[in-house]
Amino acid sequence: MIPTTAERLYTFAEYLVYDDGTDNRYELVEGKLTQMNPPTVKHLLIAKFIERVLDAEINRLGLPWLCLREAGVRTGYKKSRLMDVCVVPAELAMESSDHSAVFQLPPLLAVEIVSPESIKRDYRYKRSEYAALEIPEYWIADPIESKISVLILEEGLYEETVFTGHEQIVSQIFPEVSLKLELMLKYGNIGE
C-alpha cells in the first residue's frame, strides 16, 4: 500500500512547491499527498526505451514536441499525477521551463508502466482522469501481463487496443513508430 500524508490537505499551488527535504515523489489526490514507491530498475529501463523510441520518431519527423519522463499533469482541482513518459508540445514545455514540471494542459500522449502496486491506479484511476482531461492517447505498458494497451480518446472515452508479443504497436499520435512489446520487455530485462 502506498502511504499518504494524512496531516493536512494541500492546494494545487502548495503541491507545486512542496519539498519535504527528501527525494520522495508525490501525486496529489483530492488534496492529499500520495507517496509514489521508487521505480524498479526494469521500470526505469522500459521508460528509457520508450522515451528513446519516441524521441527518435519526433526527431525523424521534425515535430515541435518533447518527450519527457516523470513529468506531472494536473488532472483536477486538487489532483496531479506523475506520468512515466509523456509527449508535449515544445511550446508548452518552454512556458513551464522555470516552474515545476507539472503541466496544466494535457499532453499529447501519456505512458504509464505498470508495477504491482500501480495496477488499479494505472488501469482505472489514471484512465478515467486522463480521459476527463482529454489526453488524446494513453499507453499502459504492462510488463506483468506482457502487453501494452493503447487507448485512443473517442468522444470523451478511451477505445482500447491491446498488443502482445511480436505485434507492431499502432498509435494515432505516432502512426509510423516502430515499437513492439517484445523489444520493450527485452530492454527491461538485464542479463536475460
Side-chain angles (χ1 to χ4, degrees):
M1 180 168 175
I2 297 174
T4 60
T5 57
E7 301 86 41
R8 62 180 284 241
L9 296 179
Y10 290 82
T11 66
F12 184 74
E14 290 171 324
Y15 167 73
L16 289 178
V17 296
Y18 181 78
D19 182 0
D20 62 2
T22 69
D23 288 334
N24 293 336
R25 299 172 1 158
Y26 297 92
E27 290 185 338
L28 184 67
V29 181
E30 301 303 339
K32 294 179 184 174
L33 295 175
T34 302
Q35 183 179 339
M36 298 291 99
N37 290 338
T40 63
V41 171
K42 177 183 272 192
H43 184 114
L44 293 172
L45 290 172
I46 291 171
K48 184 177 184 176
F49 175 76
I50 292 170
E51 180 187 34
R52 283 182 174 173
V53 168
L54 297 180
D55 270 340
E57 189 67 359
I58 288 167
N59 289 333
R60 183 182 76 81
L61 297 172
L63 298 170
W65 301 346
L66 294 174
C67 186
L68 304 170
R69 277 191 280 159
E70 300 182 11
V73 63
R74 185 176 189 172
T75 61
Y77 179 65
K78 290 186 177 180
K79 281 186 178 181
S80 182
R81 296 294 187 173
L82 297 174
M83 301 169 287
D84 290 319
V85 179
C86 69
V87 174
V88 297
E91 182 178 308
L92 178 61
M94 289 182 344
E95 290 171 5
S96 303
S97 65
D98 292 329
H99 306 288
S100 293
V102 177
F103 298 108
Q104 303 268 348
L105 297 173
L108 301 166
L109 169 66
V111 179
E112 298 295 349
I113 301 160
V114 177
S115 54
E117 72 281 347
S118 76
I119 295 169
K120 185 181 273 188
R121 184 174 61 241
D122 292 338
Y123 278 104
R124 184 175 180 183
Y125 302 126
K126 287 186 176 183
R127 179 181 179 141
S128 63
E129 289 175 37
Y130 291 174
L133 190 59
E134 298 183 342
I135 296 176
E137 192 164 317
Y138 173 33
W139 296 2
I140 305 171
D142 190 336
I144 299 165
E145 295 292 327
S146 295
K147 65 181 183 179
I148 187 164
S149 302
V150 174
L151 298 99
I152 306 295
L153 193 65
E154 297 284 341
E155 298 179 10
L157 298 172
Y158 281 124
E159 295 295 328
E160 178 178 21
T161 304
V162 177
F163 300 93
T164 60
H166 302 294
E167 294 178 303
Q168 182 79 23
I169 293 167
V170 178
S171 165
Q172 281 189 354
I173 301 292
F174 294 102
E176 298 174 27
V177 74
S178 179
L179 180 60
K180 293 181 181 178
L181 176 72
E182 66 179 348
L183 294 175
M184 180 187 74
L185 294 177
K186 183 178 178 182
Y187 196 85
N189 292 325
I190 299 174
E192 291 183 21

